[in-house]
Amino acid sequence: MGRREIFAGNWKMFKTYREAEDLVKGILSGLGDIGSREVVIFPPAVYARDMAKLCMNTQVKVGIQNMYHEKEGAFTGELSPSMVRDCGCAYILIGHSERRHVFGEKDGDVNKKVKAALENGLSPVLCIGELLDDREKGRTREIVKKQLEGGLDRIAAGDLDKIIIAYEPVWAIGTGKVATPEIAEETHLFIREIIGTLYDGKVSQNMPILYGGSVKPDNISGLHVKENIDGALVGGACLKADSFLDIIHVK
Ligand code: 13P
C-alpha cells in the first residue's frame, strides 16, 4: 500500500496531570515494535509540553487539540501555532467536530488554522464529518466535499504531504455507534476522489485518511483491513493504555 499508517488518540478534556503521566508511561512501556506505524497523542494543551518530554526519542508524537491562527495578540485563552511548536508538538487537530459544533468553528476558521499550521511547520490533522441529520438526508457527500474544499482552500499541492485527514462522522463520535467498515470505506474513497479533483491523483493516493468515531479494540480490525482507511483517531478508547495499545497493534 505504501501510505502512512497513523493511530492517534484525542484525549479531549480528560485526565488529571498524574493520570496523564501514567497514561503516557503505560503507552510507552507497552508499545514494543510497531514498525513504520505512527502514533500521535493529543493531551490537553496544559500537559502537552511535559508529555512531549516523556515521549522524546520514542515513536510516540504529541500534538495539541486546537489553536488560534494568529501569530500573537490580545486573544485571551488562545494558543498560537508557535506556542504549539514550542511545547514540542508537531501535530495539531483542526476542525474537530466538537470545535465545529460546540464552539461554532466554520470552514473559514478551519482553513485559516490549516494555513497557520503549515506556515509554522506543524502537521494539521484536518477533521471532517457529517451530522446524523445530514446522513439521514443523504447529504454526507455534499457536507464532506464542502468541508474539504473549505478547509483546503488555497493550500498548495506541495503542502499536502504534511496534512492528515480524519473522517469522523459526528453520529459515531462518543455514541458507541461505529460506522461499518463499508460505510467508512465508501466515504474515505469519496474523500480521496475529492482530493484527486482538487489536486491530483498522486497527492490523493498518498494522503493518510484516518477514521474516527467509537473506534475500539473490538472493531478496529474490520476498519483496518479496508484499503482506504489508514489508521484511526480514537477518543474514549485512547484513555486507557491497554485499549489504545490494542488498537495500535491491530493485525
Ligand atoms: P470516540 O472514539 O470517543 O467516539 O471519539 C472520537 C473522536 O472524536 C476522536 O477525535
Side-chain angles (χ1 to χ4, degrees):
M1 175 169 90
R3 264 195 303 272
R4 295 166 67 195
E5 268 190 289
I6 304 161
F7 295 86
N10 174 10
W11 297 15
K12 307 193 181 184
M13 200 174 73
F14 288 101
K15 301 289 176 193
T16 64
Y17 182 79
R18 286 275 163 267
E19 290 166 350
E21 269 188 329
D22 287 348
L23 177 53
V24 168
K25 286 176 185 165
I27 295 167
L28 291 174
S29 71
L31 199 62
D33 179 9
I34 55 165
S36 61
R37 287 185 184 183
E38 298 173 44
V39 176
V40 189
I41 56 166
F42 292 90
V46 287
Y47 307 152
R49 187 179 167 83
D50 286 359
M51 300 310 124
K53 277 190 188 158
L54 281 176
C55 295
M56 210 183 281
N57 302 321
T58 74
Q59 276 181 284
V60 177
K61 307 294 170 224
V62 181
I64 286 182
Q65 299 168 17
N66 179 41
M67 66 175 190
Y68 194 52
H69 65 274
E70 291 283 358
K71 187 166 162 262
E72 61 181 11
F75 303 108
T76 301
E78 295 293 333
L79 296 175
S80 73
S82 64
M83 291 171 188
V84 175
R85 224 187 34 223
D86 283 349
C87 285
C89 293
Y91 293 83
I92 182 81
L93 283 185
I94 295 181
H96 187 276
S97 92
E98 287 138 27
R99 298 302 319 168
R100 292 176 189 264
H101 300 296
V102 183
F103 299 100
E105 275 185 25
K106 304 278 177 254
D107 288 324
D109 305 312
V110 169
N111 181 243
K112 284 183 194 154
K113 293 181 185 201
V114 172
K115 275 194 198 130
L118 294 168
E119 281 162 12
N120 285 276
L122 298 168
S123 280
V125 180
L126 170 59
C127 305
I128 58 172
E130 80 286 2
L131 296 164
L132 181 59
D133 187 53
D134 299 323
R135 177 153 287 268
E136 286 176 348
K137 291 189 171 130
R139 297 182 57 204
T140 298
R141 288 180 172 229
E142 182 192 326
I143 299 294
V144 161
K145 182 166 181 274
K146 183 176 150 295
Q147 290 176 338
L148 279 173
E149 287 174 349
L152 296 174
D153 188 30
R154 282 169 292 153
I155 303 295
D159 278 330
L160 268 277
D161 61 347
K162 290 160 208 105
I163 299 178
I164 297 160
I165 305 284
Y167 169 59
E168 300 199 297
V170 182
W171 47 270
I173 297 180
T175 58
K177 282 192 216 155
V178 63
T180 62
E182 291 68 33
I183 286 180
E185 170 69 7
E186 188 194 347
T187 314
H188 282 223
L189 188 59
F190 177 68
I191 292 168
R192 223 177 274 297
E193 280 166 21
I194 296 294
I195 293 171
T197 313
L198 295 175
Y199 296 92
D200 60 46
K202 186 159 175 270
V203 166
S204 126
Q205 276 313 311
N206 289 335
M207 173 65 74
I209 307 177
L210 317 185
Y211 168 80
S214 296
V215 171
K216 306 277 179 247
D218 65 5
N219 60 32
I220 183 67
S221 49
L223 294 159
H224 180 68
V225 292
K226 293 293 183 189
E227 185 170 340
N228 288 289
I229 301 180
D230 306 311
L233 178 55
V234 186
C238 82
L239 297 174
K240 289 206 170 102
D242 285 354
S243 55
F244 191 43
L245 287 165
D246 283 348
I247 292 169
I248 296 167
H249 294 145
V250 60
K251 296 239 166 41

